Amino acid sequence: MNILKFFTAGSVDDGKSTLIGRLLYDTDSILADQLEALQSSNRKNDDGTIDLAILTDGLRAEREQGITIDVAYKYFQTAKRKFIIADTPGHIQYTRNMVTGASTANLAIILIDARNGVVEQTIRHSYLVSLLGIKHIVVAINKMDMMDYSETVFTAIKEKYKALAQNLGLKEVTYIPVSALKGDNIVQPSTNMDWYEGESLLHFLEQVDTDLQDKTTKARMPVQWVIRPQTDELHDYRGYAGRVLSGTFKVNDKVTALPAGTSSTISKIEFFENELEQALAGQSVIIHLKDNIDISRGDTLVNSSALPIESKLIEADLCWMDTRALDTSIMYIIQHNSKTTKCKINEILHKVDINTLEKHTADEFKLNDIGRVIVKTADALAFDLYGDNRANGSAILIDSRTNLTVGALMFRASVE
Amino acid sequence: MSEYNLDYLDELEAEAIHILREVAGQFEKPALLFSGGKDSITLVRLAEKAFRPGKFPFPLVHIDTGHNFEETIQYRDEMVARIGEKLIIGSVQQSIDEGKVIEQTGKNASRNALQTVTLLDTILEHKFDACIGGARRDEEKARAKERIFSVRDEFGQWDPKRQRPELWNIYNGKIHKGENVRVFPISNWTELDVWNYIRRENIALPSIYFAHQRDCITRNGQLMAASPFLNMDDEDLVESKKVRFRTVGDMSCTAAVESDADLIDDIIQEISESKISERGARLDDKVSEAAMEDRKKGGYF
């Protein structure tokens, strides 16, 4: 059994929280006492049934206002998979929350209200999915019950979305007609839409092949911590602890430590009390090298035959996440995996109107703005392009005045 | 990160180890909050996997309400001796003796709420800048929205509206003097994941997690262990029941469930079929719909 992390894009009005509530409810992931709390709440649907949306609205302010402000993580599992849902708000003022939720997801569900079809919000959400590099998209066309479960309605929306997907370069798109409120095609196949021959949403999520995400084979491991017990029996022990970002490291592989550029050979890979022949992407291990070279936290071990880009001048997409606007005259801190260094945003190349996808020049960058910039870093970063390697192609910006995370960066090119 | 060759427990474990090593790398004086419960016991195992054969780069900290299950304290002391790491104890009794908090009275009196003061004092005394805890997002809906690196102001308060965005696997641990960060490495685990991991790793637990015969009384519809820490009166009928505990907290607020599950396989079976969530057996969450949110804002774990 493995894990599928997905996120849901849509607004309150599209029935997003209801869709998630329905997935949890119909997979028996709601427990009796939670259900009791739900039933005793005074929010009900028009027909008197339980409002499943309450399940995901975690904070008091959200319950009071009936909106989703933050990212809420929900968990459920079936016999086939464990699922982690990032439930994010869909409104434009919560773009940063959506970017946050999407950053760790391998699949996105884009919700479309069958009554409205492809609207501005759909374009915005789909753009964010392409920006964040999520490979699998499910377009869930919801509220089919309110459109008499019409195939014509479904097909018209599907055709319209296809054009958008092509424009954005989204390849793996699956279309499912659903009613979250009534439960059609969420867990059980609907009996109201005989014309639909595809799978229910849950069935699709259970079997979708997620290997498509980040297929890079280039071995990368940022060093987080150097383990040196310095005891009598382990006097010379020196292990580099980290999590493999991508690719595979094997014993006897030639590796290079960046930024120093010194090379050595892997002598041993350890995981707790075991020695491993290889360390796969995703594993947290300890790597030992044959030579005693100077490596510390913030350095990256890479396979010597597939070096990453090293640069101090990087073209990147930036999503601004703070209420205080970007200031191109000050220094920020950039955090790329375990490495932090100072940086400046040298230039704003363009900003994207995420409702229309038009690019235009801009002098300022405010909360929820997205666009292309040039970042100049104090120390060179060893990175890959985001499109090739999400984990090694992303970074955050920190404002050293407030220590807040103010920006998300996706590396697109080296300028040098 | 393409993690799909990994089993789900391996992936959760690798993520938690990554988070623990980030704490080691980013903070000057971290601590691991150890309650003696299964979640913090799991954290200790994860810390062993993150840092052995080296020492932990942090001590264990136990906030001791004085109303413990004996079995928990025994377990704690044996475990600390086995792993050879430092244990710091913050005492709620001492906070009471020093007049910093006042013992609750009445039938539902509990020291649960008092722990927050002792915790904050302990953080201050030792100048901890990061406290690792075993909270999970599946426990409660306010927790579902909390970050893995969750910043607290100098009063220990969590501000849910000012949480930092947490992207990819990058954790921003930068703080101002006086602030500290609560770190939750097993945020993405469910109760069942923790039990499956404990089974896989063959981790020993305090005996109260397994079914045993115990004198209990019924309070507010829940089974409580009869103890000197409960304010009992003539209306409380003491009955011997076969029970186990799903969480381990203060004796005055942790309810038991009737159970015959005395092996870990039986417990996993029972949880898989159970219709009551784990925190449903915690009276402290029952105060209002926003009980946990309010306590977290006040500095609780």
PDB file of all heavy atoms in Angstrom, chain A residues 3 32-33 60 62 73 75 82 103 106 224 284 297 335 403 405, chain B residues 4 8 14 18 22 144-145 168 171-172 188 193 275 277 293-294:
ATOM      1  N   ILE A   3       0.978   5.843  -0.644  1.00  0.00           N
ATOM      2  CA  ILE A   3       0.224   7.043  -0.276  1.00  0.00           C
ATOM      3  C   ILE A   3      -0.040   7.884  -1.522  1.00  0.00           C
ATOM      4  O   ILE A   3       0.863   8.069  -2.342  1.00  0.00           O
ATOM      5  CB  ILE A   3       1.019   7.891   0.739  1.00  0.00           C
ATOM      6  CG1 ILE A   3       1.343   7.055   1.994  1.00  0.00           C
ATOM      7  CG2 ILE A   3       0.246   9.150   1.125  1.00  0.00           C
ATOM      8  CD1 ILE A   3       2.176   7.789   3.033  1.00  0.00           C
ATOM      9  N   ALA A  32     -18.043   7.657  14.945  1.00  0.00           N
ATOM     10  CA  ALA A  32     -19.345   7.907  15.554  1.00  0.00           C
ATOM     11  C   ALA A  32     -19.418   9.219  16.327  1.00  0.00           C
ATOM     12  O   ALA A  32     -20.375   9.978  16.210  1.00  0.00           O
ATOM     13  CB  ALA A  32     -19.710   6.747  16.464  1.00  0.00           C
ATOM     14  N   ASP A  33     -18.356   9.499  17.116  1.00  0.00           N
ATOM     15  CA  ASP A  33     -18.433  10.718  17.926  1.00  0.00           C
ATOM     16  C   ASP A  33     -18.316  11.972  17.066  1.00  0.00           C
ATOM     17  O   ASP A  33     -18.887  13.012  17.366  1.00  0.00           O
ATOM     18  CB  ASP A  33     -17.383  10.704  19.042  1.00  0.00           C
ATOM     19  CG  ASP A  33     -15.968  10.508  18.520  1.00  0.00           C
ATOM     20  OD1 ASP A  33     -15.819   9.915  17.442  1.00  0.00           O
ATOM     21  OD2 ASP A  33     -15.037  10.948  19.201  1.00  0.00           O
ATOM     22  N   ARG A  60     -12.564  28.109  14.080  1.00  0.00           N
ATOM     23  CA  ARG A  60     -13.777  28.783  14.510  1.00  0.00           C
ATOM     24  C   ARG A  60     -14.240  29.832  13.495  1.00  0.00           C
ATOM     25  O   ARG A  60     -15.406  29.884  13.132  1.00  0.00           O
ATOM     26  CB  ARG A  60     -13.523  29.451  15.867  1.00  0.00           C
ATOM     27  CG  ARG A  60     -14.746  29.976  16.546  1.00  0.00           C
ATOM     28  CD  ARG A  60     -14.360  30.893  17.678  1.00  0.00           C
ATOM     29  NE  ARG A  60     -13.729  30.198  18.795  1.00  0.00           N
ATOM     30  CZ  ARG A  60     -14.387  29.778  19.873  1.00  0.00           C
ATOM     31  NH1 ARG A  60     -15.667  29.978  19.982  1.00  0.00           N
ATOM     32  NH2 ARG A  60     -13.757  29.185  20.841  1.00  0.00           N
ATOM     33  N   GLU A  62     -13.760  29.926  10.420  1.00  0.00           N
ATOM     34  CA  GLU A  62     -14.278  29.306   9.210  1.00  0.00           C
ATOM     35  C   GLU A  62     -15.693  28.794   9.421  1.00  0.00           C
ATOM     36  O   GLU A  62     -16.536  28.893   8.542  1.00  0.00           O
ATOM     37  CB  GLU A  62     -13.365  28.161   8.788  1.00  0.00           C
ATOM     38  CG  GLU A  62     -12.002  28.652   8.386  1.00  0.00           C
ATOM     39  CD  GLU A  62     -11.063  27.523   8.049  1.00  0.00           C
ATOM     40  OE1 GLU A  62     -11.101  26.488   8.720  1.00  0.00           O
ATOM     41  OE2 GLU A  62     -10.297  27.696   7.113  1.00  0.00           O
ATOM     42  N   TYR A  73      -5.632  19.398   6.352  1.00  0.00           N
ATOM     43  CA  TYR A  73      -5.219  18.090   5.869  1.00  0.00           C
ATOM     44  C   TYR A  73      -6.153  17.032   6.430  1.00  0.00           C
ATOM     45  O   TYR A  73      -6.469  17.035   7.605  1.00  0.00           O
ATOM     46  CB  TYR A  73      -3.773  17.809   6.255  1.00  0.00           C
ATOM     47  CG  TYR A  73      -2.829  18.764   5.570  1.00  0.00           C
ATOM     48  CD1 TYR A  73      -2.460  19.959   6.184  1.00  0.00           C
ATOM     49  CD2 TYR A  73      -2.350  18.498   4.304  1.00  0.00           C
ATOM     50  CE1 TYR A  73      -1.616  20.862   5.541  1.00  0.00           C
ATOM     51  CE2 TYR A  73      -1.510  19.386   3.647  1.00  0.00           C
ATOM     52  CZ  TYR A  73      -1.147  20.570   4.270  1.00  0.00           C
ATOM     53  OH  TYR A  73      -0.326  21.457   3.627  1.00  0.00           O
ATOM     54  N   TYR A  75      -7.316  12.732   6.223  1.00  0.00           N
ATOM     55  CA  TYR A  75      -6.724  11.420   5.967  1.00  0.00           C
ATOM     56  C   TYR A  75      -7.797  10.368   5.853  1.00  0.00           C
ATOM     57  O   TYR A  75      -8.741  10.354   6.636  1.00  0.00           O
ATOM     58  CB  TYR A  75      -5.783  11.045   7.116  1.00  0.00           C
ATOM     59  CG  TYR A  75      -4.742  12.106   7.333  1.00  0.00           C
ATOM     60  CD1 TYR A  75      -5.027  13.238   8.105  1.00  0.00           C
ATOM     61  CD2 TYR A  75      -3.509  12.019   6.718  1.00  0.00           C
ATOM     62  CE1 TYR A  75      -4.098  14.246   8.258  1.00  0.00           C
ATOM     63  CE2 TYR A  75      -2.571  13.016   6.856  1.00  0.00           C
ATOM     64  CZ  TYR A  75      -2.867  14.138   7.635  1.00  0.00           C
ATOM     65  OH  TYR A  75      -1.947  15.139   7.768  1.00  0.00           O
ATOM     66  N   LYS A  82      -3.507   4.722   1.046  1.00  0.00           N
ATOM     67  CA  LYS A  82      -3.712   5.735   2.067  1.00  0.00           C
ATOM     68  C   LYS A  82      -3.759   7.074   1.334  1.00  0.00           C
ATOM     69  O   LYS A  82      -2.952   7.320   0.431  1.00  0.00           O
ATOM     70  CB  LYS A  82      -2.548   5.721   3.056  1.00  0.00           C
ATOM     71  CG  LYS A  82      -2.608   6.822   4.126  1.00  0.00           C
ATOM     72  CD  LYS A  82      -1.386   6.762   5.042  1.00  0.00           C
ATOM     73  CE  LYS A  82      -1.218   8.067   5.821  1.00  0.00           C
ATOM     74  NZ  LYS A  82      -2.038   8.197   7.014  1.00  0.00           N
ATOM     75  N   SER A 103       1.704  22.215  -3.397  1.00  0.00           N
ATOM     76  CA  SER A 103       3.149  21.975  -3.493  1.00  0.00           C
ATOM     77  C   SER A 103       3.525  20.535  -3.163  1.00  0.00           C
ATOM     78  O   SER A 103       4.517  20.032  -3.651  1.00  0.00           O
ATOM     79  CB  SER A 103       3.922  22.954  -2.608  1.00  0.00           C
ATOM     80  OG  SER A 103       3.748  22.650  -1.238  1.00  0.00           O
ATOM     81  N   ASN A 106       0.357  15.146  -5.585  1.00  0.00           N
ATOM     82  CA  ASN A 106       0.677  14.459  -6.829  1.00  0.00           C
ATOM     83  C   ASN A 106      -0.521  14.376  -7.768  1.00  0.00           C
ATOM     84  O   ASN A 106      -0.421  13.837  -8.863  1.00  0.00           O
ATOM     85  CB  ASN A 106       1.181  13.055  -6.535  1.00  0.00           C
ATOM     86  CG  ASN A 106       2.513  13.095  -5.839  1.00  0.00           C
ATOM     87  OD1 ASN A 106       3.396  13.846  -6.243  1.00  0.00           O
ATOM     88  ND2 ASN A 106       2.664  12.331  -4.782  1.00  0.00           N
ATOM     89  N   GLN A 224      21.519  17.049   5.842  1.00  0.00           N
ATOM     90  CA  GLN A 224      20.814  17.763   6.898  1.00  0.00           C
ATOM     91  C   GLN A 224      21.627  17.850   8.185  1.00  0.00           C
ATOM     92  O   GLN A 224      21.496  18.776   8.971  1.00  0.00           O
ATOM     93  CB  GLN A 224      19.513  17.027   7.246  1.00  0.00           C
ATOM     94  CG  GLN A 224      18.474  17.008   6.158  1.00  0.00           C
ATOM     95  CD  GLN A 224      17.250  16.278   6.656  1.00  0.00           C
ATOM     96  OE1 GLN A 224      17.143  15.060   6.526  1.00  0.00           O
ATOM     97  NE2 GLN A 224      16.323  17.001   7.257  1.00  0.00           N
ATOM     98  N   SER A 284      15.120   8.266   4.099  1.00  0.00           N
ATOM     99  CA  SER A 284      16.020   9.011   4.981  1.00  0.00           C
ATOM    100  C   SER A 284      17.111   8.059   5.438  1.00  0.00           C
ATOM    101  O   SER A 284      16.813   7.064   6.094  1.00  0.00           O
ATOM    102  CB  SER A 284      15.258   9.548   6.195  1.00  0.00           C
ATOM    103  OG  SER A 284      14.442  10.638   5.826  1.00  0.00           O
ATOM    104  N   ARG A 297      25.988  20.573   6.863  1.00  0.00           N
ATOM    105  CA  ARG A 297      24.593  20.866   6.565  1.00  0.00           C
ATOM    106  C   ARG A 297      24.501  21.969   5.518  1.00  0.00           C
ATOM    107  O   ARG A 297      25.202  22.982   5.613  1.00  0.00           O
ATOM    108  CB  ARG A 297      23.868  21.309   7.839  1.00  0.00           C
ATOM    109  CG  ARG A 297      22.432  21.724   7.581  1.00  0.00           C
ATOM    110  CD  ARG A 297      21.685  22.094   8.845  1.00  0.00           C
ATOM    111  NE  ARG A 297      20.440  22.767   8.480  1.00  0.00           N
ATOM    112  CZ  ARG A 297      19.318  22.132   8.141  1.00  0.00           C
ATOM    113  NH1 ARG A 297      19.286  20.808   8.167  1.00  0.00           N
ATOM    114  NH2 ARG A 297      18.241  22.805   7.785  1.00  0.00           N
ATOM    115  N   GLN A 335      15.694  29.711   1.164  1.00  0.00           N
ATOM    116  CA  GLN A 335      15.914  28.378   1.736  1.00  0.00           C
ATOM    117  C   GLN A 335      15.617  27.347   0.656  1.00  0.00           C
ATOM    118  O   GLN A 335      14.488  27.230   0.178  1.00  0.00           O
ATOM    119  CB  GLN A 335      15.026  28.166   2.969  1.00  0.00           C
ATOM    120  CG  GLN A 335      15.301  26.848   3.686  1.00  0.00           C
ATOM    121  CD  GLN A 335      14.561  26.725   5.020  1.00  0.00           C
ATOM    122  OE1 GLN A 335      13.995  27.686   5.538  1.00  0.00           O
ATOM    123  NE2 GLN A 335      14.565  25.531   5.585  1.00  0.00           N
ATOM    124  N   ASN A 403      10.767  37.066   9.764  1.00  0.00           N
ATOM    125  CA  ASN A 403      10.978  35.611   9.721  1.00  0.00           C
ATOM    126  C   ASN A 403       9.836  34.855   9.042  1.00  0.00           C
ATOM    127  O   ASN A 403       9.774  33.631   9.094  1.00  0.00           O
ATOM    128  CB  ASN A 403      11.207  35.024  11.123  1.00  0.00           C
ATOM    129  CG  ASN A 403      12.553  35.405  11.682  1.00  0.00           C
ATOM    130  OD1 ASN A 403      13.500  35.572  10.922  1.00  0.00           O
ATOM    131  ND2 ASN A 403      12.634  35.567  12.983  1.00  0.00           N
ATOM    132  N   THR A 405       7.576  33.279   5.999  1.00  0.00           N
ATOM    133  CA  THR A 405       7.770  32.754   4.657  1.00  0.00           C
ATOM    134  C   THR A 405       6.958  33.644   3.722  1.00  0.00           C
ATOM    135  O   THR A 405       5.741  33.691   3.824  1.00  0.00           O
ATOM    136  CB  THR A 405       7.267  31.302   4.570  1.00  0.00           C
ATOM    137  OG1 THR A 405       7.975  30.526   5.542  1.00  0.00           O
ATOM    138  CG2 THR A 405       7.483  30.713   3.186  1.00  0.00           C
TER     139      THR A 405
ATOM    140  N   TYR B   4       7.114   6.544  -4.577  1.00  0.00           N
ATOM    141  CA  TYR B   4       6.101   5.506  -4.732  1.00  0.00           C
ATOM    142  C   TYR B   4       6.616   4.088  -4.717  1.00  0.00           C
ATOM    143  O   TYR B   4       5.863   3.150  -4.783  1.00  0.00           O
ATOM    144  CB  TYR B   4       5.225   5.835  -5.931  1.00  0.00           C
ATOM    145  CG  TYR B   4       4.414   7.030  -5.560  1.00  0.00           C
ATOM    146  CD1 TYR B   4       4.864   8.303  -5.861  1.00  0.00           C
ATOM    147  CD2 TYR B   4       3.292   6.893  -4.761  1.00  0.00           C
ATOM    148  CE1 TYR B   4       4.179   9.418  -5.428  1.00  0.00           C
ATOM    149  CE2 TYR B   4       2.609   8.002  -4.325  1.00  0.00           C
ATOM    150  CZ  TYR B   4       3.044   9.252  -4.665  1.00  0.00           C
ATOM    151  OH  TYR B   4       2.371  10.344  -4.225  1.00  0.00           O
ATOM    152  N   TYR B   8       3.700   2.721   2.632  1.00  0.00           N
ATOM    153  CA  TYR B   8       3.237   3.941   3.285  1.00  0.00           C
ATOM    154  C   TYR B   8       3.883   4.167   4.641  1.00  0.00           C
ATOM    155  O   TYR B   8       4.185   5.293   5.006  1.00  0.00           O
ATOM    156  CB  TYR B   8       1.705   3.966   3.383  1.00  0.00           C
ATOM    157  CG  TYR B   8       1.113   3.111   4.477  1.00  0.00           C
ATOM    158  CD1 TYR B   8       0.555   3.685   5.608  1.00  0.00           C
ATOM    159  CD2 TYR B   8       1.119   1.726   4.376  1.00  0.00           C
ATOM    160  CE1 TYR B   8       0.014   2.904   6.621  1.00  0.00           C
ATOM    161  CE2 TYR B   8       0.577   0.942   5.387  1.00  0.00           C
ATOM    162  CZ  TYR B   8       0.038   1.529   6.506  1.00  0.00           C
ATOM    163  OH  TYR B   8      -0.486   0.760   7.504  1.00  0.00           O
ATOM    164  N   ALA B  14      10.157   7.999   6.878  1.00  0.00           N
ATOM    165  CA  ALA B  14      11.227   8.795   6.262  1.00  0.00           C
ATOM    166  C   ALA B  14      10.931  10.290   6.388  1.00  0.00           C
ATOM    167  O   ALA B  14      11.834  11.098   6.623  1.00  0.00           O
ATOM    168  CB  ALA B  14      11.386   8.409   4.789  1.00  0.00           C
ATOM    169  N   HIS B  18      13.194  12.995   8.464  1.00  0.00           N
ATOM    170  CA  HIS B  18      13.629  14.235   7.806  1.00  0.00           C
ATOM    171  C   HIS B  18      13.296  15.450   8.677  1.00  0.00           C
ATOM    172  O   HIS B  18      14.124  16.346   8.874  1.00  0.00           O
ATOM    173  CB  HIS B  18      12.941  14.343   6.429  1.00  0.00           C
ATOM    174  CG  HIS B  18      13.189  15.634   5.720  1.00  0.00           C
ATOM    175  ND1 HIS B  18      12.211  16.589   5.555  1.00  0.00           N
ATOM    176  CD2 HIS B  18      14.299  16.148   5.156  1.00  0.00           C
ATOM    177  CE1 HIS B  18      12.726  17.626   4.906  1.00  0.00           C
ATOM    178  NE2 HIS B  18      13.985  17.382   4.647  1.00  0.00           N
ATOM    179  N   GLU B  22      15.779  18.130  10.513  1.00  0.00           N
ATOM    180  CA  GLU B  22      15.665  19.576  10.292  1.00  0.00           C
ATOM    181  C   GLU B  22      15.676  20.321  11.626  1.00  0.00           C
ATOM    182  O   GLU B  22      16.262  21.392  11.744  1.00  0.00           O
ATOM    183  CB  GLU B  22      14.386  19.919   9.506  1.00  0.00           C
ATOM    184  CG  GLU B  22      14.505  19.689   8.007  1.00  0.00           C
ATOM    185  CD  GLU B  22      15.668  20.435   7.390  1.00  0.00           C
ATOM    186  OE1 GLU B  22      15.631  21.680   7.303  1.00  0.00           O
ATOM    187  OE2 GLU B  22      16.643  19.754   6.995  1.00  0.00           O
ATOM    188  N   ALA B 144      -5.848  19.673  12.348  1.00  0.00           N
ATOM    189  CA  ALA B 144      -5.775  19.366  10.912  1.00  0.00           C
ATOM    190  C   ALA B 144      -5.187  20.531  10.132  1.00  0.00           C
ATOM    191  O   ALA B 144      -4.744  20.376   9.008  1.00  0.00           O
ATOM    192  CB  ALA B 144      -7.159  19.021  10.376  1.00  0.00           C
ATOM    193  N   LYS B 145      -5.224  21.718  10.735  1.00  0.00           N
ATOM    194  CA  LYS B 145      -4.737  22.907  10.029  1.00  0.00           C
ATOM    195  C   LYS B 145      -3.406  23.401  10.550  1.00  0.00           C
ATOM    196  O   LYS B 145      -2.889  24.404  10.080  1.00  0.00           O
ATOM    197  CB  LYS B 145      -5.776  24.026  10.142  1.00  0.00           C
ATOM    198  CG  LYS B 145      -7.131  23.574   9.648  1.00  0.00           C
ATOM    199  CD  LYS B 145      -7.963  24.646   9.055  1.00  0.00           C
ATOM    200  CE  LYS B 145      -9.080  23.982   8.272  1.00  0.00           C
ATOM    201  NZ  LYS B 145      -9.976  24.927   7.645  1.00  0.00           N
ATOM    202  N   TRP B 168       6.291  22.354  -0.076  1.00  0.00           N
ATOM    203  CA  TRP B 168       7.149  21.217  -0.397  1.00  0.00           C
ATOM    204  C   TRP B 168       7.598  20.549   0.905  1.00  0.00           C
ATOM    205  O   TRP B 168       6.768  20.359   1.787  1.00  0.00           O
ATOM    206  CB  TRP B 168       8.331  21.664  -1.279  1.00  0.00           C
ATOM    207  CG  TRP B 168       7.862  22.242  -2.569  1.00  0.00           C
ATOM    208  CD1 TRP B 168       7.300  21.562  -3.607  1.00  0.00           C
ATOM    209  CD2 TRP B 168       7.852  23.630  -2.963  1.00  0.00           C
ATOM    210  NE1 TRP B 168       6.960  22.447  -4.617  1.00  0.00           N
ATOM    211  CE2 TRP B 168       7.285  23.697  -4.247  1.00  0.00           C
ATOM    212  CE3 TRP B 168       8.288  24.819  -2.358  1.00  0.00           C
ATOM    213  CZ2 TRP B 168       7.136  24.901  -4.939  1.00  0.00           C
ATOM    214  CZ3 TRP B 168       8.141  26.015  -3.046  1.00  0.00           C
ATOM    215  CH2 TRP B 168       7.563  26.044  -4.320  1.00  0.00           C
ATOM    216  N   TYR B 171      11.009  23.491   5.643  1.00  0.00           N
ATOM    217  CA  TYR B 171      10.470  23.981   6.904  1.00  0.00           C
ATOM    218  C   TYR B 171      11.240  25.206   7.360  1.00  0.00           C
ATOM    219  O   TYR B 171      12.456  25.165   7.521  1.00  0.00           O
ATOM    220  CB  TYR B 171      10.539  22.869   7.965  1.00  0.00           C
ATOM    221  CG  TYR B 171       9.834  21.621   7.497  1.00  0.00           C
ATOM    222  CD1 TYR B 171      10.539  20.534   7.001  1.00  0.00           C
ATOM    223  CD2 TYR B 171       8.440  21.561   7.486  1.00  0.00           C
ATOM    224  CE1 TYR B 171       9.890  19.404   6.528  1.00  0.00           C
ATOM    225  CE2 TYR B 171       7.787  20.428   7.016  1.00  0.00           C
ATOM    226  CZ  TYR B 171       8.518  19.356   6.540  1.00  0.00           C
ATOM    227  OH  TYR B 171       7.871  18.240   6.067  1.00  0.00           O
ATOM    228  N   ASN B 172      10.505  26.292   7.568  1.00  0.00           N
ATOM    229  CA  ASN B 172      11.114  27.554   7.996  1.00  0.00           C
ATOM    230  C   ASN B 172      11.094  27.627   9.517  1.00  0.00           C
ATOM    231  O   ASN B 172      10.062  27.850  10.129  1.00  0.00           O
ATOM    232  CB  ASN B 172      10.321  28.713   7.374  1.00  0.00           C
ATOM    233  CG  ASN B 172      10.739  30.073   7.913  1.00  0.00           C
ATOM    234  OD1 ASN B 172      11.704  30.193   8.684  1.00  0.00           O
ATOM    235  ND2 ASN B 172      10.000  31.102   7.515  1.00  0.00           N
ATOM    236  N   ASN B 188       1.285  13.699   9.746  1.00  0.00           N
ATOM    237  CA  ASN B 188       0.551  13.020   8.668  1.00  0.00           C
ATOM    238  C   ASN B 188       0.205  11.567   8.980  1.00  0.00           C
ATOM    239  O   ASN B 188      -0.266  10.846   8.112  1.00  0.00           O
ATOM    240  CB  ASN B 188       1.357  13.081   7.370  1.00  0.00           C
ATOM    241  CG  ASN B 188       1.309  14.468   6.751  1.00  0.00           C
ATOM    242  OD1 ASN B 188       0.292  15.164   6.844  1.00  0.00           O
ATOM    243  ND2 ASN B 188       2.397  14.887   6.150  1.00  0.00           N
ATOM    244  N   ASP B 193      -2.023   4.247  11.704  1.00  0.00           N
ATOM    245  CA  ASP B 193      -0.635   4.222  11.222  1.00  0.00           C
ATOM    246  C   ASP B 193       0.327   4.029  12.389  1.00  0.00           C
ATOM    247  O   ASP B 193       1.295   3.267  12.296  1.00  0.00           O
ATOM    248  CB  ASP B 193      -0.276   5.542  10.510  1.00  0.00           C
ATOM    249  CG  ASP B 193      -1.067   5.759   9.229  1.00  0.00           C
ATOM    250  OD1 ASP B 193      -1.515   4.769   8.634  1.00  0.00           O
ATOM    251  OD2 ASP B 193      -1.234   6.933   8.839  1.00  0.00           O
ATOM    252  N   LYS B 275     -15.824   2.783  16.252  1.00  0.00           N
ATOM    253  CA  LYS B 275     -16.607   3.909  15.756  1.00  0.00           C
ATOM    254  C   LYS B 275     -16.464   5.134  16.660  1.00  0.00           C
ATOM    255  O   LYS B 275     -17.179   6.106  16.522  1.00  0.00           O
ATOM    256  CB  LYS B 275     -18.087   3.507  15.642  1.00  0.00           C
ATOM    257  CG  LYS B 275     -18.356   2.544  14.487  1.00  0.00           C
ATOM    258  CD  LYS B 275     -18.191   3.248  13.144  1.00  0.00           C
ATOM    259  CE  LYS B 275     -18.198   2.259  11.991  1.00  0.00           C
ATOM    260  NZ  LYS B 275     -17.681   2.883  10.761  1.00  0.00           N
ATOM    261  N   SER B 277     -13.672   7.961  17.906  1.00  0.00           N
ATOM    262  CA  SER B 277     -12.316   8.409  17.640  1.00  0.00           C
ATOM    263  C   SER B 277     -11.548   8.479  18.950  1.00  0.00           C
ATOM    264  O   SER B 277     -12.110   8.536  20.022  1.00  0.00           O
ATOM    265  CB  SER B 277     -12.306   9.751  16.920  1.00  0.00           C
ATOM    266  OG  SER B 277     -12.625  10.788  17.803  1.00  0.00           O
ATOM    267  N   GLU B 293      -8.872  24.213  19.675  1.00  0.00           N
ATOM    268  CA  GLU B 293      -8.364  25.456  19.093  1.00  0.00           C
ATOM    269  C   GLU B 293      -8.051  26.454  20.206  1.00  0.00           C
ATOM    270  O   GLU B 293      -6.997  27.087  20.225  1.00  0.00           O
ATOM    271  CB  GLU B 293      -9.406  26.036  18.122  1.00  0.00           C
ATOM    272  CG  GLU B 293      -8.913  27.260  17.364  1.00  0.00           C
ATOM    273  CD  GLU B 293      -9.984  27.837  16.430  1.00  0.00           C
ATOM    274  OE1 GLU B 293     -10.921  27.102  16.079  1.00  0.00           O
ATOM    275  OE2 GLU B 293      -9.863  29.008  16.076  1.00  0.00           O
ATOM    276  N   ASP B 294      -8.975  26.587  21.172  1.00  0.00           N
ATOM    277  CA  ASP B 294      -8.781  27.538  22.256  1.00  0.00           C
ATOM    278  C   ASP B 294      -7.569  27.184  23.110  1.00  0.00           C
ATOM    279  O   ASP B 294      -6.797  28.038  23.508  1.00  0.00           O
ATOM    280  CB  ASP B 294     -10.039  27.605  23.140  1.00  0.00           C
ATOM    281  CG  ASP B 294     -11.202  28.244  22.384  1.00  0.00           C
ATOM    282  OD1 ASP B 294     -10.939  28.911  21.360  1.00  0.00           O
ATOM    283  OD2 ASP B 294     -12.352  28.083  22.818  1.00  0.00           O
TER     284      ASP B 294
END
